[in-house]
């Protein structure tokens, strides 16, 4: 009996299909009209805990130490995408918005970009958010000597 070809097997290449990715949808949108001025949009592959890597859209401004990340990784059951604020200094990521699924991929990604734009405006204006090491009041401080350097404890 001759060996079977790969595409004849039930799990061979014939079962493979092309997926429309977050990056594909992003290239179809007027991103500059949806994102505040000064914020650059890029893409990267992200991994959350033990989940498989996923596409991500990043919004980054050179004057702020926080990025905004849109991805399907780290979403809840009712969400298609989530917007996360990533603190590059402290190395933390916080979910700031969830975007429900819709029948139109473009509408879902546009909604995520609008949510990220609102978060970007909050970052720019310095609106209140959860305290981080960058902006929290220290619970205790120690002076290191006469040179006015202080060590803060949170």
């Amino acid at each position: 009996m001759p060996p079977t070809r790969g595409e004849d097997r039930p799990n061979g290449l014939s079962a493979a299909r092309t997926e429309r990715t977050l990056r594909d949808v992003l290239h179809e949108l007027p991103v500059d009209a949806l994102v505040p001025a000064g914020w650059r949009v890029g893409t990267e592959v992200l991994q959350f805990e033990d989940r498989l890597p996923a596409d991500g859209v990043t919004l980054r401004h050179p004057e702020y130490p926080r990025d905004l990340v849109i991805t399907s990784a780290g979403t809840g059951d009712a969400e298609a995408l989530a917007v996360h604020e990533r603190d590059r200094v402290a190395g933390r990521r916080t979910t700031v918005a969830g975007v429900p699924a819709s029948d139109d991929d473009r509408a879902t990604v546009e909604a995520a970009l609008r949510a990220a734009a609102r978060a970007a405006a909050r970052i720019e204006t310095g609106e209140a958010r959860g305290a981080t090491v960058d902006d929290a009041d220290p619970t205790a401080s120690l002076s290191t000597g006469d040179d006015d350097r202080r060590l803060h404890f949170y």
Side-chain angles (χ1 to χ4, degrees):
M1 182 163 136
T4 59
R5 294 186 355 219
E7 57 266 355
D8 295 335
R9 286 183 264 158
N11 291 331
L13 290 178
S14 63
R17 60 191 169 116
T18 302
E19 287 287 326
R20 190 164 183 227
T21 67
L22 188 57
R23 293 171 192 229
D24 295 332
V25 177
L26 183 68
H27 290 299
E28 298 172 4
L29 298 174
V31 175
D32 291 339
L34 298 169
V35 175
W39 288 81
R40 294 181 299 217
V41 177
T43 58
E44 64 182 84
V45 176
L46 305 163
Q47 185 162 6
F48 283 66
E49 295 133 15
D50 58 348
R51 297 181 186 188
L52 291 173
D55 265 347
V57 176
T58 57
L59 283 73
R60 177 176 275 186
H61 195 289
E63 295 179 22
Y64 303 104
R66 290 179 161 66
D67 297 334
L68 294 160
V69 180
I70 301 169
T71 183
S72 60
T75 58
D77 294 335
E79 300 168 337
L81 297 171
V83 180
H84 304 275
E85 186 176 312
R86 180 173 55 194
D87 187 326
R88 293 191 311 265
V89 175
R92 278 191 291 263
R93 186 171 41 207
T94 307
T95 303
V96 294
V99 180
S102 72
D103 293 336
D104 182 11
D105 292 339
R106 287 175 54 115
T108 303
V109 176
E110 278 186 37
L113 284 169
R114 283 192 192 95
R118 287 189 299 273
R122 182 185 46 76
I123 290 170
E124 287 179 354
T125 60
E127 280 185 33
R129 63 183 183 281
T132 67
V133 173
D134 302 329
D135 57 9
D137 290 329
T139 57
S141 296
L142 294 175
S143 178
T144 59
D146 295 331
D147 59 1
D148 293 329
R149 287 187 288 176
R150 301 185 67 77
L151 178 62
H152 302 292
F153 297 93
Y154 297 90

